[in-house]
Amino acid sequence: MKNIFKNRFVHIAILLICALFLRFFLESFISDDYSFLIRMASIIIILLFGGFFVLKGVAKVIEETTEVLSERTKIASGLLQSLGTAFPDMVLGVVAAIVSLSLVKTDYPRAINFAIIAAATTFGSNIYNIAHATWCVFRQNIANKEEKNVLMFPYTKIGGHVIPMKNHKTKPSLPEIDTSVDILNTLTILTAIVAISMVIFGQVATPPPNMKGDLYQLIRPVGGVVLLLCIVIMFYFRKSKREHIIEKEIEKEEKYYSKKSTWLILTVLLISGISILFTAESMVKAVEAFCDITGLPFVIAGVLAGVIGCIGEMIVVHNFTVNPKGRIGDALVGVAMDNIVTTMGASIVAVMGGIFLGGNALILIFVIILTLNAVLIWQISKLKSYFLKT
């Protein structure tokens, strides 16, 4: 079995087959036509297998291929990896929005619930991405300060060790670090624009009877402006700021793809994207079914579903920190750009007319995002100070 998985193309084919199995077979067992035990078992399998096998496997493919494409195209590998790893966030939000729009005329309260899932998923995933990246850089700074290996998560070896930056094979360039801070600052501004515009322009006059408190919508004109800003930001920061990597510094996995044609690599990424698409669609429907069974509020389910969407980026950031590849610069640019792409997904959902947030959720989600952005910028500044001193 190990020899089968060592063949990358066979592994990618298996990921696609698993995604199709979840979408077109197992998903049918979560409907209310089946017993409680069958529905719950199907939901758990879809969420766990989809997240920790398919999405994790696809994240590994993205991690191995983006460096090669970056070297060939001179596009920042952080941007390339974000386009892949943020795709689940976008799919989860867009699928929820499509379901929401299809229910507007027949079941308006349920349509609002799905619209809340769309918003909570896309914006909620930014919380996990930024929080995990902040922790990774925080532990890296501790390793640098103490000049010794430290555990990623204290008292457990599950997360691996973070080694001092001086022992990394290659170092991130200062322009890379500056770029990550610049993107995080633009993300902060975008998030503030979204939050303020929802409060000023998007309050719903007559929320559904089952909705307690205020209800806010990101209206279509603002969504269009945010979409345009996201595209401009991605274009502006498209160029790589890192130094060229010589052949001996390329990891074994990346050397494999460095010998393949660009079109073949793009085909691999396309298949990976299709795998993400079907898996994410199954997972968002599983989340909805879980809420239907347990009565869990949809806004909480949406925020929890954000973990599913951002698992890929979290894995990439984690791996680039605990493995001394000299790729932490890519990780920082990638996680910042990932959230720009996710915000773009939210703006697409807004243009479709399917994104809402309740009053309390609106305040909590955006305050947490803005706070974590500031903390991550603080930790990146400390990392930059280390390089300036050494």
Side-chain angles (χ1 to χ4, degrees), residues 90-100 114 277 280-281 284-285 349:
M90 296 179 65
V91 170
L92 288 167
V94 170
V95 167
I98 291 173
V99 175
S100 172
F114 272 98
L277 174 64
E281 184 176 353
V284 75
K285 290 182 179 178
V349 174

Side-chain angles (χ1 to χ4, degrees), residues 45-331:
I45 293 172
I46 289 174
L47 294 178
L48 294 182
F49 192 75
F52 294 99
F53 180 75
V54 180
L55 295 186
K56 183 178 180 181
V58 170
K60 183 65 176 176
V61 174
I62 294 169
E63 181 183 340
E64 293 176 356
T65 55
T66 51
E67 182 63 31
V68 177
L69 287 178
S70 178
E71 285 295 303
R72 292 180 182 179
T73 63
K74 303 308 175 185
I75 296 176
S77 58
L79 172 58
L80 291 173
Q81 83 186 34
S82 70
L83 291 174
T85 55
F87 195 60
D89 299 332
M90 296 179 65
V91 170
L92 288 167
V94 170
V95 167
I98 291 173
V99 175
S100 172
L101 294 173
S102 68
L103 293 171
V104 168
K105 294 182 179 180
T106 58
D107 193 344
Y108 184 66
R110 193 169 177 226
I112 294 297
N113 287 335
F114 272 98
I116 290 175
I117 286 181
T121 299
T122 48
F123 291 119
S125 65
N126 287 5
I127 294 174
Y128 303 113
N129 271 342
I130 296 294
H132 182 257
T134 301
W135 180 260
C136 288
V137 181
F138 169 69
R139 297 303 288 174
Q140 183 66 66
N141 286 330
I142 290 179
N144 295 342
K145 182 179 179 180
E146 298 182 358
E147 297 187 341
K148 66 178 183 180
N149 294 0
V150 299
L151 292 170
M152 173 62 80
F153 303 110
Y155 310 113
T156 178
K157 296 182 180 179
I158 294 177
H161 288 82
V162 182
I163 70 171
M165 189 61 65
K166 66 179 182 179
N167 295 330
H168 280 218
K169 292 181 180 179
T170 56
K171 310 293 189 296
S173 66
L174 290 178
E176 259 187 311
I177 297 176
D178 288 338
T179 297
S180 67
V181 173
D182 289 342
I183 299 174
L184 283 169
N185 281 323
T186 59
L187 175 65
T188 300
I189 295 171
L190 277 177
T191 303
I193 289 174
V194 171
I196 293 171
S197 63
M198 289 181 80
V199 172
I200 295 178
F201 305 112
Q203 185 170 9
V204 178
T206 55
N210 65 332
M211 177 66 64
K212 295 181 180 180
D214 297 325
L215 180 67
Y216 297 93
Q217 179 184 22
L218 183 60
I219 60 176
R220 283 192 174 96
V222 176
V225 171
V226 174
L227 175 61
L228 179 61
L229 289 175
C230 289
I231 294 173
V232 170
I233 291 169
M234 292 169 62
F235 180 79
Y236 183 80
F237 291 107
R238 72 192 185 281
K239 294 295 184 181
S240 176
K241 300 295 183 179
R242 68 178 303 174
E243 298 176 357
H244 177 73
I245 295 182
I246 59 178
E247 181 69 19
K248 68 179 182 179
E249 293 173 342
I250 298 178
E251 293 296 311
K252 179 181 178 181
E253 296 86 354
E254 292 157 358
K255 283 183 179 179
Y256 177 87
Y257 285 106
S258 67
K259 297 176 183 178
K260 308 299 179 183
S261 69
T262 301
W263 283 110
L264 183 60
I265 294 174
L266 291 175
T267 301
V268 167
L269 289 176
L270 176 62
I271 295 173
S272 300
I274 294 172
S275 301
I276 291 176
L277 174 64
F278 287 125
T279 303
E281 184 176 353
S282 299
M283 294 172 85
V284 75
K285 290 182 179 178
V287 168
E288 190 270 337
F290 183 76
C291 291
D292 180 54
I293 294 173
T294 63
L296 185 72
F298 280 80
V299 65
I300 296 177
V303 172
L304 293 177
V307 178
I308 299 167
C310 69
I311 253 178
E313 181 62 39
M314 292 174 69
I315 292 171
V316 171
V317 174
H318 187 91
N319 289 345
F320 285 175
T321 305
V322 300
N323 297 334
K325 296 180 178 181
R327 300 278 294 279
I328 195 169
D330 285 340

